[in-house]
Amino acid sequence: MELPLASAKPSPRTTGPRPPLLFSPLKPSPLLRFPPRRRPAAAAPLRLRPRASTAGEEVFGARKELTGVQPLVESLPPAARTAAELAVAAAAVAAGYGVGLRVGGGSRAVAVAGAAVLGAASVAGAAALNSVVPEVAAVGLHNYVAGHDDPTNLDSAEVEAIANKYGVSTQDAAFKAELCDLYARYIYSVLPPADEDLKGTEVQAIIKFKRALGLDDVDAANMHMEIGRRIYRERLETSDRDADMEQRRAFQKLIYVSNLVFGDASAFLLPWKRLFGVTDSQIDIAMRENAKSLYSSQLKSIGRGLDIGTLIDVRRAQLAYKLSDEIAAEMFREHVKKLVQENISSALDILKSRIPDSLTQAVEEVKSVIKFNSLLTTLSKHPQADQFARGLGPISLGGEYDHDRRADDLKILYKAYATEVISDGIVDEEKLAPLNELRNIFGLGKREAEGILSDVKAQIYRRTIAKVFNTELASVPSKAAFLQILCEKLQFDPELASKMHEEIYRQKLQQFVADGELSKEEVEALMAFQVRLCIPQETVDAAHTEICGQLFEKVVKEAIASVDGYDASRREAVKKAAQSLNLKKEAVMAIFSKAVRKIFLSYIQRAKAAGNRIETAKELKKLISFNTVVVSELLADIKGELSPTAETDASSAASESEEEDGEYEWESLETLRKTRPDKELKEKLKSSQKEITLKDDIALRDRAELYETYLMFCITGETTNVSFGTAISTKKDDSEFLMLKQLGDILGLTRKEAQDVHIKFAEKAFVQQAEVILADGKLTEAKADQLAKIQKQVGLPTEHAQKIIKGITTTKLSSAIEASVARGQIGIQQVRGLKEANFQLDSLIAEPLRESIYRKAVEEIFSSGTGDFDEEEVYVKIPADLIISSEKAKSIVQDIAKVRLENSLVQAIALLRQKKRDDVVSSLNDMLACDAAVPAPQPLSWPTPGELDDLYAIYLKSIPKPEKLSRLQYLLRISNEKANKIRDAASEGTLPIPAEEEEELAF
């Protein structure tokens, strides 16, 4: 039976925006009337049934009753029905014949006519009776199918028997229509509602039922299309988005089931794209999603106890569901990951519950994970692995979307398993293999796992040390060998073990010094830890310096910062801390120095931040007092000495005796002399310590600046403001200079560095006044006397004063000389005069100006008209006088000579035309001088050779040297023949004489 497949327009009843249609609308066939869609059991309304019905009646409807002549037809078999029809026809003919005779008065013709009429009537009745037969057969078929509890158990022979019973063909229209209706109803009942998934049995049930009915694929495919129309009609009848999505899912299930029912023939039997407008991708989605749903249900049969039979069944199911290997493998891996995650979650819950033996139970869960992973790995390498479910292989939770979030939990489990496995203190390959496997399962990085394992080993190693510390470790002769064996068994890094030993020692030390001191028993206990754990002495010293040093530093800071000053109680506390904490003298001094320097720097910062020089000096004075009153006394107590003055004086005397050599010349500096007070002043002032300085904390430049600031304060004194804006300087005694000396010690200035500050200060004062006096650069006798007085006042030695004076005058003279050079007033002769007067040319004249003077001297040589070029003079002497390198000098000479060589020829031609014979000779000599400096590679060119001959003749008459005449002949490109003619004419006196020369001779 062919169904109408014409497209229909969407119903105007649908309102509002709708998603794109998954398929095009079609006209539903009027032949089929499907039962209402099944609903979930919870939503199905309760109905009271008058009688019990079979499962078949629920699917195909109630049994049908025969009406009219149908019971008669149903009761007669085909042969009896035929005989009855013949008997009735014969009786009708006989009756018609008898009636005709009676009515026609015995006429034979009338009797025959009557027989024909009644016979025709009987035949018509028989035909009508035969037309009801297919309907009766269809009712019988319906009642047969509806009467079965399991339609899939129908027998195709029974269907054929029903058709044969009534003498009809299965291809009869009514009978086929019933077959199609039954098939469609069964499909509609087998497909689950949209909110339910396929069970996997639908395809085989439909195929079996189709075979039982004997329905061909074409008619069956039309029924699948008809169901698609029904689903579309249901979609048009709803405006709910959720219901619309349900119909979409129902249509996807229909596509999937239908394609599996017809197999490869579905490509031409089920025209989804042509009839419903769906795309290939939509069909692929329907196939993939439903196959995944079925395969997911199939995977639920796979647990942690895998067997080959189950894996083969899963593989067969995958092929039956038409699911690709890639998707199946991914789903399998996800399934086994869920199984593993269940174990992991269980293990974590056990660990967090903290019940007895929680660690052991959690480790058992982890072991089951490792066992399951090993089984998957083994099965993936099985010879028949190609017949197993796809996706077999090791598990890895790395790369999961929530792996980073769960990484901490996985690390906890890994650590718990490692702790349990190597709790006996022995690590071997048998234990490392499952640890590595678990690391891969958890997706941990190699460094992460190694870090966790290292922590576990450290805990076990520490626990083992604590267990054997007072037993085996105390009795063995070689502690190092014993510890080495422990590390080797545990495969623990010896360096980490050494760090742990140090940590243990530090913890014990912190525990012992909690009361602020170390007793003799505690010191002995620490010694035992050092010996048994093989801790180096350097490590022990560092630990004592850090831990005990913090306590000592606290005591020192309290003593320094005390409001009441450094009294007896503070002094006793410092002494006790220095002696009872078992610190070395170097460590004590380092800690004390650090605390003191920190306070020193605070004074320095306040001094730098002061608004003016006086305030800066006051802050520095506080620093000096703090050093003398507090630091010096505190240092003496720490070192255990009675008086800081004796050692300070001794060290000061030794320091002064070492540095007196070579400094006598600066004794004339008054400020420097005052920093070395006499014995009387020393007795009045208290000495201060010199060991703790700021030498390494402040740059030398800043320290010298601070020293100079206080030096200025010592010289000028403190300024006091009086009325009317007047300031008065308060006079200071020489004790301020002793404090200046102490400031130099605090700043870490050596005697030479402090002396340099004094010298710089004196030179600065002298330079300021000398520059005013020598402003014009001239040193007169009166100015010299004035400068001598100033020199005596500041205490500068004569040599330094003369050096400063010479520097000022040289600077002034240099400016004047540079101006003269720029005006061209100074040449090489003047420079040589300055050199003879012992002036430093490199400081008087800048290099560019000296090069300018050299260039001028070379140009004078090339324009002298003599034709001579002295290489020694030009390349050696003059550059030496001007302090110019020989390479630079040669470069300048070459540049000038190349340019002037051709220019001299042009100038000689011009003078020839002007008939100036002597000037012509001079120009030719200049050209020869340039050629001597830089020989021309080829003769010079000129467009008028006759003028070159005249130049040669004029130069010949000047009676030059032969070598110059020969070189000129080459440069002017004059052949030997022509040169001989000119020389012969000169010897015979027949050379042409210019008119100007003839007039001079006549005159």
Side-chain angles (χ1 to χ4, degrees), residues 822-885:
R823 292 193 298 269
Q825 297 176 351
I826 293 182
I828 186 61
Q829 299 301 327
Q830 288 77 12
V831 170
R832 287 172 173 167
L834 292 173
K835 187 176 181 181
E836 292 176 357
N838 295 326
F839 283 98
Q840 298 294 330
L841 290 181
D842 53 350
S843 60
L844 282 176
I845 306 174
E847 185 177 359
L849 293 177
R850 284 183 271 124
E851 291 178 1
S852 177
I853 295 173
Y854 181 76
R855 186 180 297 274
K856 180 181 177 182
V858 173
E859 289 179 347
E860 289 178 354
I861 293 173
F862 287 156
S863 61
S864 63
T866 61
D868 297 330
F869 180 78
D870 188 352
E871 291 188 0
E872 184 178 1
E873 176 71 15
V874 175
Y875 289 146
V876 179
K877 294 182 178 179
I878 298 178
D881 294 335
L882 293 174
I883 314 177
I884 297 175
S885 64

Side-chain angles (χ1 to χ4, degrees), residues 247-495:
Q247 299 307 321
R248 282 173 173 270
R249 288 192 289 269
F251 188 74
Q252 288 181 340
K253 294 173 186 176
L254 176 64
I255 291 176
Y256 176 73
V257 171
S258 301
N259 285 352
L260 292 187
V261 167
F262 296 102
D264 296 337
S266 61
F268 55 86
L269 290 176
L270 303 174
W272 304 111
K273 293 185 287 184
R274 179 170 59 85
L275 297 183
F276 296 99
V278 295
T279 63
D280 290 335
S281 62
Q282 289 173 322
I283 295 176
D284 292 340
I285 291 173
M287 297 294 293
R288 183 180 68 247
E289 295 303 321
N290 284 281
K292 288 173 64 176
S293 176
L294 291 173
Y295 193 69
S296 177
S297 300
Q298 186 70 25
L299 288 176
K300 293 179 181 178
S301 63
I302 294 180
R304 296 170 184 81
L306 292 175
D307 60 87
I308 295 177
T310 303
L311 294 176
I312 294 176
D313 291 341
V314 171
R315 172 61 175 168
R316 291 173 179 172
Q318 175 212 332
L319 296 176
Y321 298 153
K322 301 296 182 182
L323 185 64
S324 66
D325 288 350
E326 294 77 10
I327 297 177
E330 183 64 26
M331 292 182 66
F332 186 90
R333 285 190 286 266
E334 290 298 324
H335 177 71
V336 296
K337 284 181 181 179
K338 289 181 181 179
L339 296 177
V340 169
Q341 288 170 353
E342 290 176 2
N343 289 107
I344 292 173
S345 299
S346 177
L348 288 172
D349 292 339
I350 294 173
L351 280 179
K352 294 177 181 179
S353 66
R354 298 187 180 278
I355 60 176
D357 297 333
S358 59
L359 179 60
T360 303
Q361 296 180 26
V363 169
E364 289 299 323
E365 292 288 340
V366 176
K367 287 181 178 179
S368 66
V369 171
I370 298 175
K371 182 179 179 181
F372 184 46
N373 183 73
S374 300
L375 180 59
L376 289 172
T377 304
T378 302
L379 289 174
S380 66
K381 300 175 182 179
H382 195 276
Q384 299 179 354
D386 57 337
Q387 301 179 14
F388 297 164
R390 295 295 182 261
L392 286 171
I395 309 168
S396 177
L397 300 179
E400 297 293 322
Y401 72 96
D402 60 344
H403 183 266
D404 293 340
R405 180 176 60 83
R406 302 186 59 187
D408 294 338
D409 292 339
L410 297 176
K411 291 177 182 178
I412 292 174
L413 281 181
Y414 187 81
K415 184 176 182 179
Y417 179 77
T419 302
E420 182 70 14
V421 169
I422 60 176
S423 59
D424 57 353
I426 299 175
V427 176
D428 52 22
E429 292 300 325
E430 184 178 352
K431 295 178 180 179
L432 288 177
L435 282 170
N436 293 331
E437 186 175 355
L438 185 62
R439 183 198 74 197
N440 295 331
I441 295 173
F442 287 172
L444 299 177
K446 187 175 181 180
R447 291 186 178 180
E448 289 179 319
E450 289 178 352
I452 296 172
L453 193 58
S454 178
D455 293 340
V456 173
K457 291 178 181 179
Q459 293 177 359
I460 296 175
Y461 180 79
R462 186 170 191 139
R463 190 163 59 242
T464 305
I465 290 294
K467 183 178 179 180
V468 302
F469 185 79
N470 293 321
T471 56
E472 297 179 54
L473 184 59
S475 60
V476 294
S478 176
K479 274 69 175 175
F482 183 84
L483 296 174
Q484 182 66 29
I485 293 174
L486 289 181
C487 291
E488 291 176 355
K489 289 182 178 180
L490 198 56
Q491 294 187 16
F492 188 50
D493 189 355
E495 293 185 1

Side-chain angles (χ1 to χ4, degrees), residues 586-812:
E586 295 79 6
V588 172
M589 288 301 300
I591 296 169
F592 179 66
S593 174
K594 179 180 178 182
V596 170
R597 285 186 286 109
K598 187 174 181 180
I599 298 178
F600 281 175
L601 289 174
S602 65
Y603 278 107
I604 295 297
Q605 291 175 355
R606 290 197 296 269
K608 290 182 177 181
N612 52 59
R613 178 175 52 81
I614 301 300
E615 296 299 325
T616 300
K618 289 181 179 180
E619 291 296 331
L620 294 176
K621 193 171 184 179
K622 293 178 183 178
L623 169 62
I624 299 169
S625 300
F626 171 75
N627 180 58
T628 303
V629 176
V630 178
V631 178
S632 299
E633 295 291 335
L634 188 56
L635 180 61
D637 290 334
I638 291 174
K639 296 174 69 174
E641 298 175 1
L642 297 177
S643 174
T645 307
E647 182 179 352
T648 302
D649 291 344
S651 61
S652 175
S655 175
E656 289 179 3
S657 62
E658 292 175 359
E659 298 183 1
E660 281 182 356
D661 298 337
E663 298 179 1
Y664 180 78
E665 58 175 329
W666 296 104
E667 290 299 325
S668 59
L669 290 176
E670 183 179 3
T671 57
L672 187 59
R673 287 200 312 272
K674 291 181 178 180
T675 59
R676 303 168 188 171
D678 54 15
K679 183 177 180 181
E680 181 180 355
L681 186 57
K682 282 184 179 180
E683 293 176 356
K684 293 181 180 180
L685 297 175
K686 195 174 183 180
S687 299
S688 60
Q689 62 85 25
K690 300 180 181 180
E691 296 182 37
I692 303 174
T693 68
L694 297 175
K695 180 179 181 180
D696 298 328
D697 300 285
I698 305 177
L700 176 60
R701 180 179 177 181
D702 295 336
R703 289 185 281 133
E705 184 179 350
L706 292 169
Y707 187 85
E708 184 179 355
T709 300
Y710 199 80
L711 173 60
M712 180 67 71
F713 174 76
C714 294
I715 295 174
T716 60
E718 185 177 351
T719 302
T720 304
N721 293 326
V722 296
S723 58
F724 305 106
T726 307
I728 300 176
S729 296
T730 304
K731 185 178 181 181
K732 295 289 182 180
D733 56 20
D734 292 344
S735 62
E736 292 292 343
F737 285 94
L738 181 58
M739 297 185 72
L740 175 66
K741 176 83 166 52
Q742 294 175 351
L743 176 63
D745 296 336
I746 295 172
L747 294 175
L749 294 175
T750 63
R751 187 164 184 174
K752 179 66 170 57
E753 291 169 347
Q755 177 179 282
D756 291 341
V757 175
H758 287 269
I759 296 171
K760 179 182 176 182
F761 184 80
E763 289 179 346
K764 184 177 179 181
F766 184 77
V767 167
Q768 289 177 349
Q769 300 183 57
E771 284 182 344
V772 175
I773 296 173
L774 300 174
D776 56 355
K778 297 179 181 179
L779 181 62
T780 61
E781 186 177 354
K783 293 180 180 180
D785 294 339
Q786 188 176 0
L787 291 172
K789 293 179 181 179
I790 297 173
Q791 171 195 346
K792 186 176 181 181
Q793 291 176 358
V794 300
L796 273 179
T798 303
E799 292 183 3
H800 283 74
Q802 292 298 325
K803 185 177 179 181
I804 293 173
I805 294 171
K806 184 177 180 181
I808 295 174
T809 56
T810 301
T811 302
K812 302 293 183 181

